[in-house]
Amino acid sequence: MAVDHAHAAAAANRDDACCPHYHEAIEFLGKRWTGAIVRVLMNRSPQRFTELANAVPELSDRLLSERMKELEARGVVVRAVSPPPPAPPTRVEYSLTPMGRELEPALAALESWAQRWLPDCADGPSR
């Protein structure tokens, strides 16, 4: 019987452990400015680099460029250049992929929670 209890305890600990996929998603979206960039693209997509920079004014161009490359590498954002090379690029636009669009319910829930509970929100907490 002691073995059965040990096995049950080990299984319970696995159930309580943080899912590695969840942890990776939180770490990725929780990077500075990443969530804000994705939220801006959800509200209006596609957007040019300067439009994104204006939508998140405290974000430096260097960091925006870095985050856009990360989002593109993860398949959350697609970068479209027109006209296509070899012509000189006249327009670069960023938009969410279907994977990026699937973040909408989670980010909407997070935004709703933040508006309700975070004291720095414009309306303050409504506890």
Side-chain angles (χ1 to χ4, degrees):
M1 283 274 190
V3 173
D4 290 337
H5 289 297
H7 186 266
N13 284 341
R14 279 193 306 273
D15 291 342
D16 293 340
C18 181
C19 169
H21 296 296
Y22 172 83
H23 181 75
E24 184 176 346
I26 289 295
E27 289 294 313
F28 175 64
L29 287 172
K31 275 185 145 176
R32 190 168 187 195
W33 302 113
T34 300
I37 294 166
V38 172
R39 194 66 178 146
V40 165
L41 286 169
M42 278 186 191
N43 292 336
R44 186 170 156 263
S45 189
Q47 289 211 21
R48 297 183 76 174
F49 187 90
T50 54
E51 294 171 322
L52 285 166
N54 290 336
V56 189
E58 296 176 23
L59 175 59
S60 72
D61 286 353
R62 182 194 61 76
L63 195 52
L64 175 57
S65 177
E66 185 179 312
R67 292 296 178 263
M68 295 311 295
K69 288 175 186 173
E70 291 171 356
L71 287 164
E72 187 179 7
R74 287 289 190 130
V76 175
V77 167
V78 64
R79 179 180 184 263
V81 179
S82 62
T90 58
R91 188 173 189 90
V92 176
E93 293 181 321
Y94 298 92
S95 56
L96 293 173
T97 63
M99 179 180 26
R101 285 256 164 234
E102 282 194 32
L103 289 167
E104 202 281 328
L107 292 182
L110 183 60
E111 184 176 7
S112 178
W113 177 87
Q115 288 175 354
R116 179 170 183 194
W117 293 105
L118 296 182
D120 292 340
C121 288
D123 297 329
S126 58
R127 294 178 209 191

Short mmCIF file of all heavy atoms in Angstrom, two decimals, residues 4-46:
data_model
loop_
_atom_site.label_atom_id
_atom_site.label_comp_id
_atom_site.label_asym_id
_atom_site.label_seq_id
_atom_site.Cartn_x
_atom_site.Cartn_y
_atom_site.Cartn_z
N ASP A 4 1.53 2.40 -3.42
CA ASP A 4 0.39 3.04 -4.07
C ASP A 4 0.25 4.49 -3.63
O ASP A 4 -0.06 5.37 -4.44
CB ASP A 4 -0.90 2.28 -3.77
CG ASP A 4 -0.95 0.93 -4.48
OD1 ASP A 4 -0.25 0.77 -5.50
OD2 ASP A 4 -1.69 0.06 -4.01
N HIS A 5 0.47 4.77 -2.35
CA HIS A 5 0.40 6.15 -1.85
C HIS A 5 1.51 7.01 -2.45
O HIS A 5 1.29 8.16 -2.80
CB HIS A 5 0.47 6.18 -0.32
CG HIS A 5 -0.76 5.66 0.34
ND1 HIS A 5 -1.98 6.26 0.20
CD2 HIS A 5 -0.96 4.58 1.14
CE1 HIS A 5 -2.89 5.58 0.88
NE2 HIS A 5 -2.30 4.54 1.46
N ALA A 6 2.71 6.44 -2.57
CA ALA A 6 3.83 7.18 -3.15
C ALA A 6 3.54 7.48 -4.62
O ALA A 6 3.80 8.58 -5.11
CB ALA A 6 5.13 6.38 -3.02
N HIS A 7 2.97 6.50 -5.34
CA HIS A 7 2.63 6.71 -6.75
C HIS A 7 1.55 7.78 -6.88
O HIS A 7 1.63 8.65 -7.75
CB HIS A 7 2.17 5.38 -7.37
CG HIS A 7 1.95 5.48 -8.84
ND1 HIS A 7 0.72 5.76 -9.37
CD2 HIS A 7 2.82 5.35 -9.88
CE1 HIS A 7 0.83 5.81 -10.68
NE2 HIS A 7 2.08 5.55 -11.02
N ALA A 8 0.55 7.75 -6.02
CA ALA A 8 -0.52 8.75 -6.06
C ALA A 8 0.01 10.14 -5.73
O ALA A 8 -0.38 11.13 -6.36
CB ALA A 8 -1.63 8.37 -5.08
N ALA A 9 0.93 10.21 -4.77
CA ALA A 9 1.52 11.51 -4.41
C ALA A 9 2.35 12.06 -5.57
O ALA A 9 2.31 13.25 -5.87
CB ALA A 9 2.38 11.36 -3.16
N ALA A 10 3.11 11.19 -6.23
CA ALA A 10 3.91 11.64 -7.38
C ALA A 10 3.01 12.13 -8.50
O ALA A 10 3.28 13.14 -9.14
CB ALA A 10 4.82 10.51 -7.87
N ALA A 11 1.90 11.42 -8.74
CA ALA A 11 0.95 11.84 -9.79
C ALA A 11 0.30 13.17 -9.43
O ALA A 11 0.12 14.04 -10.29
CB ALA A 11 -0.11 10.77 -9.99
N ALA A 12 -0.03 13.36 -8.16
CA ALA A 12 -0.63 14.63 -7.71
C ALA A 12 0.35 15.78 -7.89
O ALA A 12 -0.03 16.87 -8.30
CB ALA A 12 -1.08 14.52 -6.26
N ASN A 13 1.63 15.54 -7.60
CA ASN A 13 2.64 16.58 -7.78
C ASN A 13 2.78 16.97 -9.24
O ASN A 13 2.97 18.13 -9.57
CB ASN A 13 3.99 16.14 -7.22
CG ASN A 13 4.02 16.20 -5.71
OD1 ASN A 13 3.20 16.87 -5.09
ND2 ASN A 13 4.95 15.48 -5.12
N ARG A 14 2.69 15.97 -10.15
CA ARG A 14 2.75 16.28 -11.59
C ARG A 14 1.55 17.13 -11.99
O ARG A 14 1.67 18.04 -12.80
CB ARG A 14 2.80 15.00 -12.41
CG ARG A 14 4.17 14.37 -12.49
CD ARG A 14 4.23 13.30 -13.57
NE ARG A 14 3.21 12.28 -13.44
CZ ARG A 14 3.33 11.17 -12.70
NH1 ARG A 14 4.43 10.94 -12.04
NH2 ARG A 14 2.35 10.30 -12.64
N ASP A 15 0.38 16.84 -11.45
CA ASP A 15 -0.83 17.60 -11.78
C ASP A 15 -0.73 19.04 -11.29
O ASP A 15 -1.27 19.95 -11.90
CB ASP A 15 -2.08 16.94 -11.17
CG ASP A 15 -2.40 15.61 -11.85
OD1 ASP A 15 -1.90 15.37 -12.98
OD2 ASP A 15 -3.14 14.82 -11.25
N ASP A 16 -0.05 19.25 -10.15
CA ASP A 16 0.09 20.58 -9.58
C ASP A 16 1.23 21.37 -10.21
O ASP A 16 1.30 22.58 -10.05
CB ASP A 16 0.34 20.50 -8.06
CG ASP A 16 -0.88 19.96 -7.32
OD1 ASP A 16 -1.99 20.02 -7.88
OD2 ASP A 16 -0.72 19.50 -6.19
N ALA A 17 2.12 20.69 -10.91
CA ALA A 17 3.28 21.35 -11.50
C ALA A 17 2.84 22.28 -12.63
O ALA A 17 1.84 22.05 -13.29
CB ALA A 17 4.27 20.31 -12.02
N CYS A 18 3.62 23.31 -12.83
CA CYS A 18 3.35 24.26 -13.91
C CYS A 18 3.63 23.58 -15.25
O CYS A 18 4.71 23.02 -15.45
CB CYS A 18 4.24 25.50 -13.75
SG CYS A 18 3.96 26.72 -15.02
N CYS A 19 2.67 23.63 -16.13
CA CYS A 19 2.82 23.05 -17.46
C CYS A 19 3.93 23.80 -18.21
O CYS A 19 3.92 25.03 -18.26
CB CYS A 19 1.50 23.18 -18.22
SG CYS A 19 1.62 22.78 -19.98
N PRO A 20 4.87 23.10 -18.80
CA PRO A 20 5.96 23.78 -19.50
C PRO A 20 5.47 24.63 -20.68
O PRO A 20 6.05 25.68 -20.97
CB PRO A 20 6.87 22.65 -19.98
CG PRO A 20 6.24 21.37 -19.58
CD PRO A 20 5.03 21.65 -18.79
N HIS A 21 4.41 24.22 -21.34
CA HIS A 21 3.86 25.01 -22.45
C HIS A 21 3.28 26.32 -21.93
O HIS A 21 3.47 27.38 -22.52
CB HIS A 21 2.79 24.23 -23.21
CG HIS A 21 3.31 23.01 -23.89
ND1 HIS A 21 4.24 23.05 -24.90
CD2 HIS A 21 3.05 21.70 -23.68
CE1 HIS A 21 4.52 21.82 -25.30
NE2 HIS A 21 3.82 20.98 -24.56
N TYR A 22 2.55 26.22 -20.82
CA TYR A 22 1.98 27.42 -20.20
C TYR A 22 3.10 28.37 -19.78
O TYR A 22 3.04 29.57 -20.05
CB TYR A 22 1.13 27.03 -18.99
CG TYR A 22 0.65 28.21 -18.19
CD1 TYR A 22 -0.47 28.92 -18.58
CD2 TYR A 22 1.36 28.63 -17.06
CE1 TYR A 22 -0.90 30.02 -17.86
CE2 TYR A 22 0.93 29.73 -16.34
CZ TYR A 22 -0.20 30.42 -16.74
OH TYR A 22 -0.61 31.51 -16.01
N HIS A 23 4.11 27.82 -19.13
CA HIS A 23 5.23 28.63 -18.66
C HIS A 23 5.93 29.33 -19.83
O HIS A 23 6.23 30.52 -19.76
CB HIS A 23 6.22 27.76 -17.88
CG HIS A 23 7.38 28.53 -17.35
ND1 HIS A 23 7.28 29.36 -16.26
CD2 HIS A 23 8.67 28.60 -17.77
CE1 HIS A 23 8.45 29.91 -16.03
NE2 HIS A 23 9.31 29.47 -16.94
N GLU A 24 6.15 28.60 -20.91
CA GLU A 24 6.81 29.20 -22.08
C GLU A 24 5.95 30.31 -22.69
O GLU A 24 6.46 31.37 -23.07
CB GLU A 24 7.09 28.13 -23.13
CG GLU A 24 7.86 28.66 -24.32
CD GLU A 24 8.23 27.58 -25.32
OE1 GLU A 24 8.14 26.38 -25.00
OE2 GLU A 24 8.63 27.96 -26.44
N ALA A 25 4.63 30.09 -22.77
CA ALA A 25 3.72 31.11 -23.32
C ALA A 25 3.72 32.37 -22.45
O ALA A 25 3.78 33.49 -22.97
CB ALA A 25 2.31 30.55 -23.45
N ILE A 26 3.68 32.21 -21.14
CA ILE A 26 3.68 33.35 -20.23
C ILE A 26 5.00 34.11 -20.33
O ILE A 26 5.02 35.35 -20.37
CB ILE A 26 3.41 32.90 -18.78
CG1 ILE A 26 1.96 32.46 -18.62
CG2 ILE A 26 3.76 33.99 -17.78
CD1 ILE A 26 0.94 33.55 -18.81
N GLU A 27 6.10 33.38 -20.38
CA GLU A 27 7.41 34.03 -20.51
C GLU A 27 7.52 34.79 -21.82
O GLU A 27 8.04 35.90 -21.86
CB GLU A 27 8.54 33.00 -20.41
CG GLU A 27 8.73 32.43 -19.02
CD GLU A 27 9.21 33.46 -18.02
OE1 GLU A 27 10.15 34.21 -18.33
OE2 GLU A 27 8.63 33.53 -16.92
N PHE A 28 7.01 34.21 -22.90
CA PHE A 28 7.09 34.85 -24.20
C PHE A 28 6.20 36.11 -24.26
O PHE A 28 6.67 37.19 -24.60
CB PHE A 28 6.68 33.86 -25.30
CG PHE A 28 6.64 34.46 -26.66
CD1 PHE A 28 7.79 34.96 -27.26
CD2 PHE A 28 5.45 34.55 -27.36
CE1 PHE A 28 7.76 35.52 -28.52
CE2 PHE A 28 5.42 35.11 -28.62
CZ PHE A 28 6.57 35.60 -29.21
N LEU A 29 4.94 35.97 -23.91
CA LEU A 29 4.02 37.12 -23.97
C LEU A 29 4.30 38.13 -22.87
O LEU A 29 3.93 39.30 -23.00
CB LEU A 29 2.57 36.65 -23.89
CG LEU A 29 2.07 35.97 -25.15
CD1 LEU A 29 0.69 35.38 -24.93
CD2 LEU A 29 2.06 36.93 -26.32
N GLY A 30 4.94 37.70 -21.81
CA GLY A 30 5.24 38.59 -20.70
C GLY A 30 6.49 39.41 -20.90
O GLY A 30 6.79 40.29 -20.09
N LYS A 31 7.22 39.15 -21.99
CA LYS A 31 8.40 39.98 -22.27
C LYS A 31 7.95 41.42 -22.44
O LYS A 31 6.88 41.69 -22.99
CB LYS A 31 9.09 39.53 -23.55
CG LYS A 31 10.06 38.42 -23.37
CD LYS A 31 10.76 38.14 -24.67
CE LYS A 31 12.18 37.74 -24.39
NZ LYS A 31 12.86 37.38 -25.63
N ARG A 32 8.79 42.32 -22.03
CA ARG A 32 8.45 43.73 -22.06
C ARG A 32 7.95 44.16 -23.45
O ARG A 32 8.64 43.96 -24.44
CB ARG A 32 9.66 44.56 -21.66
CG ARG A 32 9.31 46.00 -21.45
CD ARG A 32 10.42 46.73 -20.78
NE ARG A 32 9.95 48.06 -20.46
CZ ARG A 32 10.71 49.05 -20.12
NH1 ARG A 32 12.01 48.85 -20.01
NH2 ARG A 32 10.21 50.21 -19.85
N TRP A 33 6.76 44.71 -23.49
CA TRP A 33 6.09 45.28 -24.66
C TRP A 33 5.47 44.25 -25.60
O TRP A 33 4.70 44.62 -26.47
CB TRP A 33 7.00 46.22 -25.46
CG TRP A 33 7.53 47.34 -24.65
CD1 TRP A 33 8.84 47.55 -24.29
CD2 TRP A 33 6.80 48.42 -24.06
NE1 TRP A 33 8.95 48.69 -23.54
CE2 TRP A 33 7.70 49.24 -23.39
CE3 TRP A 33 5.44 48.78 -24.06
CZ2 TRP A 33 7.32 50.39 -22.70
CZ3 TRP A 33 5.06 49.92 -23.38
CH2 TRP A 33 5.99 50.71 -22.70
N THR A 34 5.77 42.98 -25.47
CA THR A 34 5.25 41.99 -26.42
C THR A 34 3.72 41.93 -26.39
O THR A 34 3.08 41.97 -27.43
CB THR A 34 5.85 40.60 -26.14
OG1 THR A 34 7.27 40.69 -26.27
CG2 THR A 34 5.33 39.56 -27.10
N GLY A 35 3.15 41.86 -25.20
CA GLY A 35 1.68 41.82 -25.09
C GLY A 35 1.03 43.06 -25.66
O GLY A 35 -0.01 42.99 -26.32
N ALA A 36 1.64 44.23 -25.42
CA ALA A 36 1.10 45.48 -25.94
C ALA A 36 1.13 45.50 -27.47
O ALA A 36 0.18 45.93 -28.11
CB ALA A 36 1.88 46.67 -25.38
N ILE A 37 2.21 45.01 -28.05
CA ILE A 37 2.32 44.97 -29.51
C ILE A 37 1.25 44.06 -30.10
O ILE A 37 0.57 44.43 -31.07
CB ILE A 37 3.73 44.50 -29.93
CG1 ILE A 37 4.79 45.53 -29.53
CG2 ILE A 37 3.78 44.21 -31.43
CD1 ILE A 37 6.21 45.00 -29.59
N VAL A 38 1.08 42.89 -29.52
CA VAL A 38 0.08 41.94 -30.03
C VAL A 38 -1.32 42.55 -29.90
O VAL A 38 -2.14 42.47 -30.81
CB VAL A 38 0.18 40.59 -29.30
CG1 VAL A 38 -0.99 39.67 -29.67
CG2 VAL A 38 1.50 39.91 -29.63
N ARG A 39 -1.59 43.20 -28.77
CA ARG A 39 -2.90 43.82 -28.56
C ARG A 39 -3.16 44.92 -29.59
O ARG A 39 -4.27 45.03 -30.12
CB ARG A 39 -3.02 44.38 -27.14
CG ARG A 39 -4.41 44.72 -26.73
CD ARG A 39 -5.24 43.46 -26.64
NE ARG A 39 -6.58 43.79 -26.21
CZ ARG A 39 -7.66 43.16 -26.62
NH1 ARG A 39 -7.55 42.14 -27.43
NH2 ARG A 39 -8.84 43.50 -26.20
N VAL A 40 -2.17 45.73 -29.90
CA VAL A 40 -2.32 46.78 -30.91
C VAL A 40 -2.63 46.16 -32.28
O VAL A 40 -3.51 46.63 -33.00
CB VAL A 40 -1.03 47.65 -30.98
CG1 VAL A 40 -1.00 48.50 -32.24
CG2 VAL A 40 -0.94 48.53 -29.74
N LEU A 41 -1.94 45.07 -32.61
CA LEU A 41 -2.20 44.41 -33.89
C LEU A 41 -3.58 43.75 -33.93
O LEU A 41 -4.16 43.61 -35.00
CB LEU A 41 -1.11 43.38 -34.20
CG LEU A 41 0.23 43.97 -34.64
CD1 LEU A 41 1.32 42.90 -34.66
CD2 LEU A 41 0.10 44.62 -36.01
N MET A 42 -4.11 43.37 -32.78
CA MET A 42 -5.46 42.82 -32.75
C MET A 42 -6.50 43.90 -33.04
O MET A 42 -7.51 43.64 -33.66
CB MET A 42 -5.74 42.17 -31.40
CG MET A 42 -5.20 40.81 -31.32
SD MET A 42 -5.69 40.01 -29.81
CE MET A 42 -4.61 38.61 -29.92
N ASN A 43 -6.22 45.09 -32.55
CA ASN A 43 -7.16 46.19 -32.75
C ASN A 43 -7.16 46.69 -34.19
O ASN A 43 -8.19 47.14 -34.69
CB ASN A 43 -6.84 47.35 -31.81
CG ASN A 43 -7.11 46.98 -30.37
OD1 ASN A 43 -7.89 46.10 -30.07
ND2 ASN A 43 -6.42 47.65 -29.46
N ARG A 44 -6.01 46.62 -34.83
CA ARG A 44 -5.91 47.09 -36.22
C ARG A 44 -4.72 46.42 -36.88
O ARG A 44 -3.58 46.60 -36.46
CB ARG A 44 -5.74 48.60 -36.27
CG ARG A 44 -5.79 49.14 -37.69
CD ARG A 44 -5.87 50.66 -37.70
NE ARG A 44 -5.35 51.15 -38.96
CZ ARG A 44 -4.11 51.59 -39.15
NH1 ARG A 44 -3.27 51.66 -38.14
NH2 ARG A 44 -3.71 51.99 -40.32
N SER A 45 -5.02 45.67 -37.92
CA SER A 45 -3.97 44.93 -38.61
C SER A 45 -4.30 44.89 -40.09
O SER A 45 -5.47 44.76 -40.44
CB SER A 45 -3.94 43.51 -38.04
OG SER A 45 -2.86 42.78 -38.46
N PRO A 46 -3.36 45.07 -40.98
CA PRO A 46 -1.92 45.21 -40.75
C PRO A 46 -1.55 46.62 -40.32
O PRO A 46 -2.33 47.56 -40.48
CB PRO A 46 -1.32 44.89 -42.13
CG PRO A 46 -2.37 45.28 -43.11
CD PRO A 46 -3.69 45.05 -42.42
#
